[in-house]
Amino acid sequence: AGAQIGEGACTNTEDLGRFDVLGEEGLEQAITSCIGMCFIPGQPGCTTCLEGATGFSTECTACFVAITECTILSCAGTCAVDAASEACAQCREENCTADFVECSGVQP
Protein backbone atom coordinates (compact mmCIF):
# COMPACT_ATOMS: atom_id res chain seq x y z
CA ALA A 1 0.00 0.00 0.00
CA GLY A 2 1.12 3.50 -0.67
CA ALA A 3 3.63 2.83 -3.44
CA GLN A 4 4.73 6.22 -4.76
CA ILE A 5 4.18 6.61 -8.49
CA GLY A 6 4.45 10.36 -8.98
CA GLU A 7 4.07 13.71 -7.30
CA GLY A 8 0.87 14.32 -5.43
CA ALA A 9 -0.79 15.40 -2.22
CA CYS A 10 0.45 12.31 -0.35
CA THR A 11 4.04 12.10 -1.61
CA ASN A 12 5.61 14.26 1.10
CA THR A 13 7.82 12.56 3.67
CA GLU A 14 5.28 12.74 6.52
CA ASP A 15 2.39 11.23 4.54
CA LEU A 16 4.54 8.49 3.00
CA GLY A 17 5.69 7.68 6.53
CA ARG A 18 2.06 7.38 7.64
CA PHE A 19 1.41 4.85 4.85
CA ASP A 20 4.27 2.75 6.25
CA VAL A 21 2.97 3.03 9.82
CA LEU A 22 -0.65 2.27 8.96
CA GLY A 23 -0.08 -0.43 6.37
CA GLU A 24 -2.94 -1.66 4.22
CA GLU A 25 -4.87 -3.09 7.17
CA GLY A 26 -4.61 0.06 9.28
CA LEU A 27 -5.67 2.21 6.36
CA GLU A 28 -8.69 -0.01 5.71
CA GLN A 29 -9.67 0.12 9.38
CA ALA A 30 -9.40 3.92 9.41
CA ILE A 31 -11.59 4.28 6.32
CA THR A 32 -14.10 1.74 7.64
CA SER A 33 -14.34 3.55 10.97
CA CYS A 34 -15.17 6.82 9.17
CA ILE A 35 -17.36 5.54 6.34
CA GLY A 36 -20.60 6.45 8.08
CA MET A 37 -19.59 10.12 8.01
CA CYS A 38 -18.85 10.02 4.29
CA PHE A 39 -22.26 9.09 2.87
CA ILE A 40 -23.18 12.71 2.17
CA PRO A 41 -20.54 14.17 -0.17
CA GLY A 42 -18.90 17.34 1.08
CA GLN A 43 -19.67 16.77 4.77
CA PRO A 44 -16.76 18.02 6.89
CA GLY A 45 -17.14 15.09 9.30
CA CYS A 46 -15.70 12.70 6.73
CA THR A 47 -12.51 14.78 6.37
CA THR A 48 -12.17 15.34 10.11
CA CYS A 49 -12.63 11.64 10.88
CA LEU A 50 -10.23 10.41 8.19
CA GLU A 51 -7.58 12.98 9.07
CA GLY A 52 -7.78 11.97 12.74
CA ALA A 53 -7.86 8.24 12.02
CA THR A 54 -4.99 8.22 9.52
CA GLY A 55 -2.78 11.13 10.57
CA PHE A 56 -2.42 12.21 6.94
CA SER A 57 -2.05 15.86 5.98
CA THR A 58 -5.22 17.77 5.06
CA GLU A 59 -4.24 17.69 1.37
CA CYS A 60 -3.62 13.95 1.38
CA THR A 61 -6.78 13.29 3.41
CA ALA A 62 -8.78 15.11 0.72
CA CYS A 63 -7.75 12.41 -1.80
CA PHE A 64 -8.99 9.69 0.56
CA VAL A 65 -12.26 11.57 1.09
CA ALA A 66 -12.67 11.77 -2.70
CA ILE A 67 -12.07 8.04 -3.31
CA THR A 68 -14.31 7.11 -0.38
CA GLU A 69 -17.15 9.34 -1.60
CA CYS A 70 -16.63 8.09 -5.17
CA THR A 71 -16.82 4.48 -3.99
CA ILE A 72 -20.03 5.20 -2.09
CA LEU A 73 -21.61 6.95 -5.09
CA SER A 74 -20.39 4.53 -7.77
CA CYS A 75 -20.27 1.21 -5.95
CA ALA A 76 -22.76 1.43 -3.08
CA GLY A 77 -24.71 -1.66 -4.08
CA THR A 78 -21.63 -3.84 -4.49
CA CYS A 79 -19.64 -2.53 -1.54
CA ALA A 80 -22.53 -2.35 0.93
CA VAL A 81 -22.83 -6.13 0.71
CA ASP A 82 -19.12 -6.75 1.30
CA ALA A 83 -16.62 -3.89 1.32
CA ALA A 84 -13.74 -6.38 1.21
CA SER A 85 -15.11 -8.26 -1.82
CA GLU A 86 -13.35 -8.53 -5.15
CA ALA A 87 -16.43 -7.01 -6.83
CA CYS A 88 -16.21 -3.92 -4.61
CA ALA A 89 -12.47 -3.58 -5.28
CA GLN A 90 -13.08 -3.96 -9.02
CA CYS A 91 -15.80 -1.30 -9.01
CA ARG A 92 -13.59 1.12 -7.07
CA GLU A 93 -10.69 0.40 -9.44
CA GLU A 94 -12.84 1.06 -12.52
CA ASN A 95 -14.55 4.20 -11.22
CA CYS A 96 -12.38 5.91 -8.60
CA THR A 97 -8.75 4.77 -8.42
CA ALA A 98 -7.36 6.80 -11.36
CA ASP A 99 -8.56 10.07 -9.82
CA PHE A 100 -7.14 9.03 -6.44
CA VAL A 101 -3.73 8.25 -7.94
CA GLU A 102 -3.72 11.59 -9.79
CA CYS A 103 -4.65 13.41 -6.56
CA SER A 104 -2.40 11.55 -4.14
CA GLY A 105 0.57 10.47 -6.24
CA VAL A 106 0.39 6.99 -4.71
CA GLN A 107 -1.20 3.70 -5.70
CA PRO A 108 -3.73 2.57 -3.07
Side-chain angles (χ1 to χ4, degrees), residues 32-96:
T32 302
S33 72
C34 296
I35 198 95
M37 294 182 204
C38 301
F39 281 107
I40 301 168
Q43 288 293 77
C46 183
T47 302
T48 304
C49 185
L50 282 171
E51 199 169 338
T54 61
F56 288 128
S57 67
T58 304
E59 294 77 17
C60 181
T61 300
C63 303
F64 281 95
V65 170
I67 194 172
T68 302
E69 289 178 348
C70 175
T71 303
I72 291 166
L73 290 170
S74 303
C75 311
T78 312
C79 297
V81 177
D82 182 3
S85 70
E86 190 56 43
C88 177
Q90 185 69 39
C91 181
R92 182 173 48 247
E93 179 71 32
E94 289 171 8
N95 294 286
C96 308

